[in-house]
Amino acid sequence: MPQQGQQPYPPMPQQGQHQGQQPMQQGQQPYQPQQMMPPPTMGHGQQPAGGMGLPPPTRLPYSAYPEYNVAANSHSYQGAVSGLSGWNDPPKLKAPGGIDVDKILSSVESPEGVIVAAFTEAIDSVKGIVAHQPAQRQKVEDTERRIDGLFDRLASHKIDRVVLAQLLEVAQDLNNRDFANGQARVLKMMTSNYSNETAWLLGAKRLIELLRM
């Protein structure tokens, strides 16, 4: 039997202490289970431990002039406009088939003069057909009236430059007596959207057909 003031053997566990558990020393913190922390949120340029992060965004210099703007170099608004080759350049006129309108019209001093002279000579040539082919008289006279309509539009400068360039090439074919090529050009013009020129275009087609007879 233990004496007064002597602890019993074995010692009794303290309140809240389970049997077999070591008694808590003075100043020792009580055990707490470790909590799992969520992974840190990473921004551009940050790298987690042991891994690779996202690359920082690339910032390109900006210029008010499109040709010096590196960021817009591959998507310049000028690239969507046909014929623009540089900053504020006027577009070059292109006729169907890709012919250079300005180059063709600048090759002669007066495109209208060349056209009138070539078609007048051609009309005079087909008038001789009537002498030995009277049945062609009506066709020749109708063709002449249509070509006169062409001359009126040329004199009043109502013909578009794109059409004028193509017509100049037809006139040069007439001067070179290359009727096959001239006829092909006229047929191509007739299939284009030249609604204001249909009357004389038909006359030009008939004129070349008469020259080929």
Side-chain angles (χ1 to χ4, degrees), residues 112 151-160 164:
E112 293 86 354
F151 294 163
D152 291 339
R153 290 185 62 79
L154 287 170
S156 58
H157 304 286
K158 293 182 178 179
I159 295 184
D160 185 81
L164 189 64

Side-chain angles (χ1 to χ4, degrees), residues 32-166:
Q32 293 182 356
Q34 185 177 2
Q35 297 182 357
M36 298 297 294
M37 299 298 292
T41 303
M42 292 177 294
H44 288 286
Q46 296 182 353
Q47 295 186 358
M52 298 185 64
L54 298 176
T58 304
R59 299 182 63 87
L60 298 176
Y62 175 79
S63 172
Y65 299 92
E67 62 268 36
Y68 297 115
N69 188 358
V70 179
N73 188 32
S74 60
H75 300 285
S76 174
Y77 72 93
Q78 289 185 344
V81 182
S82 177
L84 286 180
S85 57
W87 174 255
N88 208 26
D89 286 349
K92 294 182 179 180
L93 291 176
K94 293 289 185 180
I99 65 174
D100 192 330
V101 173
D102 295 330
K103 183 178 180 180
I104 293 173
L105 295 179
S106 62
S107 64
V108 297
E109 184 176 352
S110 174
E112 293 86 354
V114 174
I115 294 169
V116 170
F119 276 84
T120 299
E121 182 179 353
I123 286 291
D124 292 340
S125 298
V126 299
K127 284 181 179 179
I129 298 176
V130 180
H132 57 276
Q133 294 188 33
Q136 300 294 334
R137 177 183 297 275
Q138 184 176 358
K139 186 176 183 179
V140 170
E141 291 177 349
D142 180 72
T143 300
E144 185 177 8
R145 283 193 297 268
R146 291 177 181 273
I147 298 302
D148 285 341
L150 167 62
F151 294 163
D152 291 339
R153 290 185 62 79
L154 287 170
S156 58
H157 304 286
K158 293 182 178 179
I159 295 184
D160 185 81
R161 285 173 57 83
V162 173
V163 180
L164 189 64
Q166 294 175 277

